[in-house]
Amino acid sequence: MDEQSVIEARDFTKKFGSFTAVDSISFTVAKGEIFGFLGANGAGKTTAMKMLTGLLTPTSGQARVAGFDVWHEADKIKRNIGYMSQKFSLYNDLTVVENMTLFGGIYGMSMPEIKDKAAQVIDKLAIKSFKDRLVASLPLGFKQKLAFSVAIFHRPQIVFLDEPTGGVDPVTRRQFWEMIYAAAENGITPFVTTHYMDEAEYCHRVSVMVEGKIMALDTPAALKARYDCKNMGEVFLKLARNPG
Amino acid sequence: MVEFNHITKKYGPVTGVQGVSFKVNPGELFGLIGPDGAGKTTLFRMLTTLLLPDEGSLSMAGKDVVQDYRFVRSNVGYMPGTFSLYQDLTVAENLNFFATLFGTTVAANYALIEDIYRQIEPYKTRRAGDLSGGMKQKLALSCALIHRPLVLVLDEPTTGVDAVSRKEFWEMLKRLQAGGLTILVSTAYMDEATLCDRVALIQEGRIMQLDTPEQVISGFSRPLYAVKGERIHRLLEFLRQLPQVVSAQPFGDSIHLTLVAEHCLPEVQASILQERPDAVTEAITPTIEDCFMDLMPATHG
């Protein structure tokens, strides 16, 4: 595996019975690159992400994630990645600090390390007055920003973000993307799915999955030029309009 | 057709909605536009008799929603934000069940749902729990329509739905509206606002603005410019440190800019070209999202 790539998949495939959810996809993601993983509902994104994060065993093909093999080193992959989604990110019935302590502990950080890092996050998000409140009581915008901070708390090589900004207000959505950029500049590779097509433009490279296959993979500028489209929304409509 | 009058709803110490008033005209496609937690679901649950308001009154077709809840229940079609049909009944069983519940039959109102139901009819013996997201949505919409309601209430029908399916869903709503139905729909996708006849922009339990999308846009107070260039993030940092710039926000492949005064434009353009000879700056019409962000309280975030 190339030293500068953090994900490398070759002929990566998952079948459920006779249905091929992920059909022989091959791609690499470079360190520090913001990688957009797009596709219509049911195109196979979630299945592919589950395999990349070590939650699901592939049917065939190869992939190395954070330098580890998905077939034999799923546990090591899990230790070296972060994950957040719109649906699940933090425990609502724990406080802000308790959540950080729990996730830091799961990822094997020491107590002094956790305390130090927690102080940094609280300071950066300006949420000192919230630190001992239950996560359930936080406004959604704060929750999502906090969830992202917790997902990269242990300085993973890659952070998987599954529709992280769904339903979030437009100001927070943009603040969230600034956090993604900052993480990428610190060498953490964001791997992002989104249904907001403006967000596809913020990615360094974007792949579009259609019926289990990667139909296109390039920079937003190159994709727009190739398909003669004004924006990524048009590119997506052109590629992803499937019969389902 | 629907009227909210100074409606307030609190959940313990938390305010769900605060003093909300608006009317929806017969045959109108009315949108509640706002992020999660803005109060959209609370308003819809009160309208559909599932929650009681703490203060204020609301009516549907001239009938008080609290007093005449039976009338409302038989004349409103409600599609909640989470899939709420019976997972272990088949497609056809779910539809029959809801028709029977409202004292009608699928055959009697088939014409109304035909356009939508035809797309899932090949799977009518499949259990609802085994359907894909898009098919679940079509079944839920069919079930919400099967008793031929006066008002259709759709709570975030396109959340988590991809751009292609969202477009198709709105085409479906337009066809239903053309048939005379009054539709209330909520969404967190700002771009969907332009597909409604009128919209209420809602945030933290209050309506910030209510008008046609065109009027909302023309109400944007300052000239707006778009700067297009490579490496948006770097360009954004550069623009934000210019003294003439009030706000610079990323919008896909461009940055939307407002300035302290219109006459600053040439200076700003000169600075931009010095930094980025390839960047293009032009005056643009705001989108609903620009308007929403402009209306949001400055303390936010």
Side-chain angles (χ1 to χ4, degrees):
Chain A
M1 176 156 143
D2 178 351
E3 210 180 306
Q4 284 307 306
S5 62
V6 291
I7 299 178
E8 210 170 274
R10 185 148 303 137
D11 302 325
F12 209 35
T13 299
K14 181 72 188 180
K15 291 183 181 166
F16 296 106
S18 62
F19 175 66
T20 306
V22 175
D23 193 355
S24 192
I25 60 173
S26 302
F27 66 100
T28 56
V29 178
K31 181 172 194 262
E33 163 178 53
I34 302 174
F35 191 85
F37 197 58
L38 308 187
N41 302 112
K45 296 190 304 285
T46 304
T47 304
M49 272 177 100
K50 279 189 177 163
M51 292 195 288
L52 293 171
T53 51
L55 296 175
L56 195 66
T57 312
T59 306
S60 61
Q62 299 301 324
R64 292 184 79 78
V65 177
F68 301 104
D69 185 274
V70 289
W71 287 95
H72 309 293
E73 297 170 305
D75 286 345
K76 286 184 182 147
I77 289 175
K78 287 177 197 161
R79 254 173 258 160
N80 286 280
I81 60 173
Y83 174 84
M84 92 163 257
S85 77
Q86 187 203 351
K87 289 182 196 98
F88 175 77
S89 40
L90 300 169
Y91 289 97
N92 270 321
D93 46 5
L94 294 181
T95 67
V96 170
V97 170
E98 284 168 347
N99 264 289
M100 292 189 204
T101 311
L102 174 68
F103 281 98
I106 287 171
Y107 285 110
M109 292 166 73
S110 68
M111 255 339 260
E113 240 183 311
I114 292 174
K115 279 210 170 111
D116 193 45
K117 201 67 198 270
Q120 282 176 34
V121 170
I122 287 165
D123 187 50
K124 204 164 93 190
L125 296 180
I127 51 169
K128 196 157 185 226
S129 55
F130 290 146
K131 77 183 176 63
D132 294 316
R133 274 173 51 178
L134 294 184
V135 161
S137 71
L138 297 185
L140 180 83
F142 275 120
K143 223 189 268 187
Q144 294 303 86
K145 284 189 276 185
L146 178 64
F148 181 65
S149 304
V150 171
I152 59 171
F153 207 64
H154 59 294
R155 281 205 57 84
Q157 293 187 50
I158 308 163
V159 61
F160 288 89
L161 304 166
D162 194 2
E163 290 179 41
T165 55
V168 172
D169 73 71
V171 171
T172 306
R173 201 153 74 78
R174 286 170 174 77
Q175 290 168 344
F176 197 94
W177 270 89
E178 286 179 25
M179 293 176 75
I180 293 178
Y181 271 102
E185 276 167 12
N186 284 318
I188 298 172
T189 306
F191 186 97
V192 193
T193 74
T194 181
H195 289 313
Y196 289 99
M197 287 304 121
D198 58 334
E199 295 185 351
E201 312 267 3
Y202 307 149
C203 300
H204 295 131
R205 283 195 308 150
V206 165
S207 73
V208 182
M209 261 187 105
V210 181
E211 293 176 349
K213 293 192 171 72
I214 289 181
M215 292 297 279
L217 197 173
D218 217 323
T219 62
L223 289 175
K224 284 182 278 186
R226 184 178 322 149
Y227 295 100
D228 191 24
C229 292
K230 283 203 305 289
N231 53 51
M232 282 304 293
E234 287 184 12
V235 171
F236 187 80
L237 286 178
K238 222 171 208 175
L239 286 172
R241 192 172 275 280
N242 63 19
Chain B
M1 181 60 86
V2 170
E3 194 170 341
F4 285 78
N5 241 318
H6 302 289
I7 290 288
T8 293
K9 178 72 193 177
K10 290 187 163 73
Y11 300 104
V14 181
T15 301
V17 294
Q18 179 71 49
V20 167
S21 299
F22 64 89
K23 281 183 202 174
V24 179
N25 301 318
E28 191 170 29
L29 177 49
F30 187 93
L32 276 181
I33 317 292
D36 287 358
K40 306 185 301 292
T41 300
T42 298
L43 288 171
F44 281 175
R45 292 180 69 83
M46 287 189 284
L47 175 61
T48 52
T49 79
L50 300 172
L51 267 183
L52 290 172
D54 293 334
E55 288 166 39
S57 65
L58 70 161
S59 68
M60 199 188 101
K63 298 256 196 331
D64 184 86
V65 168
V66 177
Q67 295 299 317
D68 291 313
Y69 68 93
R70 284 173 190 277
F71 169 83
V72 173
R73 286 181 188 179
S74 49
N75 287 288
V76 73
Y78 175 47
M79 186 170 140
T82 47
F83 185 69
S84 308
L85 302 181
Y86 293 93
Q87 312 257 4
D88 46 3
L89 293 186
T90 66
V91 167
E93 284 166 347
N94 265 295
L95 192 61
N96 273 320
F97 175 76
F98 282 96
T100 311
L101 210 59
F102 287 104
T104 180
T105 61
V106 174
N109 294 314
Y110 189 76
L112 185 65
I113 63 160
E114 187 177 3
D115 184 34
I116 303 152
Y117 189 65
R118 231 185 9 222
Q119 301 171 54
I120 50 170
E121 219 164 9
Y123 313 99
K124 66 181 178 188
T125 57
R126 195 180 286 189
R127 285 175 196 227
D130 297 334
L131 296 174
S132 72
M135 289 198 280
K136 276 183 183 164
Q137 193 191 40
K138 283 172 188 140
L139 176 61
L141 186 56
S142 301
C143 290
L145 288 169
I146 196 61
H147 61 296
R148 201 169 278 276
L150 294 170
V151 177
L152 180 64
V153 179
L154 306 164
D155 195 5
E156 297 207 22
T158 54
T159 290
V161 174
D162 67 69
V164 174
S165 311
R166 286 207 284 140
K167 193 164 176 276
E168 288 169 358
F169 191 81
W170 276 91
E171 285 163 5
M172 222 147 62
L173 289 191
K174 289 281 185 193
R175 286 196 293 272
L176 287 170
Q177 185 197 13
L181 199 61
T182 304
I183 304 174
L184 277 84
V185 59
S186 69
T187 180
Y189 290 105
M190 303 281 150
D191 57 337
E192 293 180 347
T194 52
L195 302 167
C196 302
D197 296 328
R198 284 191 309 146
V199 291
L201 305 187
I202 181 169
Q203 164 86 357
E204 291 171 5
R206 290 167 195 273
I207 290 182
M208 302 190 294
Q209 197 174 8
L210 192 158
D211 219 321
T212 62
E214 297 74 27
Q215 285 298 319
V216 170
I217 285 167
S218 69
F220 193 81
S221 50
R222 284 155 290 151
L224 186 70
Y225 305 96
V227 185
K228 237 178 180 175
E230 294 295 300
R231 297 180 319 259
I232 288 283
H233 188 58
R234 289 266 173 262
L235 188 54
L236 191 63
E237 283 171 354
F238 169 75
L239 292 170
R240 285 193 174 152
Q241 49 85 39
L242 294 177
Q244 304 94 334
V245 169
V246 175
S247 72
Q249 293 288 358
F251 274 77
D253 65 346
S254 62
I255 294 169
H256 290 189
L257 209 59
T258 60
L259 306 177
V260 284
E262 209 167 338
H263 65 74
C264 297
L265 182 64
E267 297 167 36
V268 171
Q269 261 176 320
S271 309
I272 293 171
L273 285 176
Q274 207 168 19
E275 172 80 10
R276 290 288 187 88
D278 61 324
V280 181
T281 308
E282 56 179 2
I284 54 158
T285 308
T287 64
I288 293 285
E289 191 153 353
D290 289 295
C291 301
F292 195 97
M293 289 168 74
D294 193 46
L295 290 164
M296 276 174 69
T299 55
H300 188 84

